[in-house]
């Protein structure tokens, strides 16, 4: 639940902040930003309803929201770029990614980008995706450590803790923290089974 809400709300805050600090924006740009905010907020409200609406009676079947696919992982980067985050995607994945692995990757990238939106939106960021069947899927989400930048958005380790559990459950490992080259990095390594 935290994954779903935090990412969308951080995007809304980011988009609203861009409107606030750019009072000379043209009418068309303001309309585009407002439309993006409305769409993101609507999604932020509807997705939890779909998740919470799942527990029903035995005979009543609730429609399930589509689960994230590998294309949705790539789309997270595009959405962040559209919201004004300077993030590059380095995608070295050529093989089809199994859905369970794609869902775990989605949550890792989503949480990494959410933290960048909240704590380091004025820095350069990158998402790297590397791997192939029979080895590991390596996911790296990093940003240049901001100098003196603060945010009024709350920061909790709840999201990182959630993806740590998810990655460990998938047989992988995850690390997060500052690197020697002045970046903050979330790095997950998850086994990628060979298709049978």
């Amino acid at each position: 639940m935290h994954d779903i809400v935090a990412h969308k709300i951080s995007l809304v805050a980011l988009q609203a902040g861009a409107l606030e600090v750019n009072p000379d924006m043209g009418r068309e740009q303001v309309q585009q930003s407002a439309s993006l905010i409305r769409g993101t907020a609507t999604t932020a409200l509807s997705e939890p309803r779909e998740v919470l609406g799942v527990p029903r009676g035995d005979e009543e079947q609730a429609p399930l929201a589509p689960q994230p696919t590998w294309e949705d992982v790539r789309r997270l980067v595009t959405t962040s770029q559209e919201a004004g985050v300077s993030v590059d995607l380095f995608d070295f994945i050529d093989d089809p990614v199994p859905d369970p692995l794609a869902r775990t990757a989605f949550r890792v990238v989503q949480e990494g980008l959410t933290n960048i939106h909240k704590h380091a939106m004025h820095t350069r960021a990158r998402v790297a995706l590397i791997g192939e069947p029979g080895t590991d899927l390596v996911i790296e989400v990093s940003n240049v450590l901001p100098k003196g930048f603060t945010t009024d958005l709350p920061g909790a380790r709840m999201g990182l803790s959630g993806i740590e559990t998810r990655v460990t459950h998938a047989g992988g490992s995850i690390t997060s923290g500052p690197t020697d080259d002045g970046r903050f990095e979330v790095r997950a390594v998850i086994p990628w089974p060979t298709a049978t």
Side-chain angles (χ1 to χ4, degrees):
M1 191 58 103
H2 174 273
D3 295 342
I4 293 169
V5 176
H7 183 72
K8 299 294 184 187
I9 296 304
S10 68
L11 282 174
V12 168
L14 186 61
Q15 294 154 2
L19 281 174
E20 184 179 24
V21 299
N22 292 302
D24 298 329
M25 248 189 209
R27 181 175 174 79
E28 188 175 327
Q29 285 179 298
V30 170
Q31 286 178 327
Q32 286 177 335
S33 293
S35 175
L36 197 54
I37 289 169
R38 181 183 50 75
T40 305
T42 300
T43 305
L45 290 170
S46 65
E47 286 181 351
R49 284 189 194 124
E50 290 168 352
V51 171
L52 291 174
V54 169
R56 304 281 177 112
D58 291 339
E59 296 179 11
E60 188 180 356
Q61 298 239 344
L64 296 175
Q67 293 295 306
T69 66
W70 188 249
E71 281 308 309
D72 293 315
V73 175
R74 294 174 171 132
R75 199 168 295 121
L76 283 170
V77 175
T78 303
T79 304
S80 290
Q81 290 167 338
E82 290 170 350
V85 176
S86 180
V87 56
D88 296 314
L89 175 62
F90 298 90
D91 184 353
F92 300 101
I93 303 299
D94 297 321
D95 297 279
V97 179
D99 287 343
L101 184 57
R103 286 193 290 274
T104 301
F106 180 89
R107 297 301 177 207
V108 171
V109 173
Q110 184 181 55
E111 180 60 25
L113 289 173
T114 297
N115 288 335
I116 290 168
H117 298 166
K118 293 197 298 187
H119 305 295
M121 65 180 177
H122 299 302
T123 69
R124 290 200 62 80
R126 68 179 174 229
V127 174
L129 308 166
I130 307 157
E132 59 186 24
T135 61
D136 292 316
L137 173 62
V138 179
I139 305 158
E140 295 175 352
V141 183
S142 69
N143 59 275
V144 176
L145 283 170
K147 295 179 182 175
F149 178 75
T150 58
T151 177
D152 56 1
L153 291 172
R157 281 202 48 90
M158 198 176 188
L160 283 175
S161 176
I163 61 170
E164 284 168 10
T165 302
R166 187 181 292 267
V167 168
T168 302
H169 183 71
S173 62
I174 187 165
T175 57
S176 61
T179 62
D180 292 338
D181 61 348
R183 303 181 73 83
F184 186 92
E185 179 181 81
V186 175
R187 185 176 194 269
V189 180
I190 309 165
W192 185 340
T194 306
T196 54

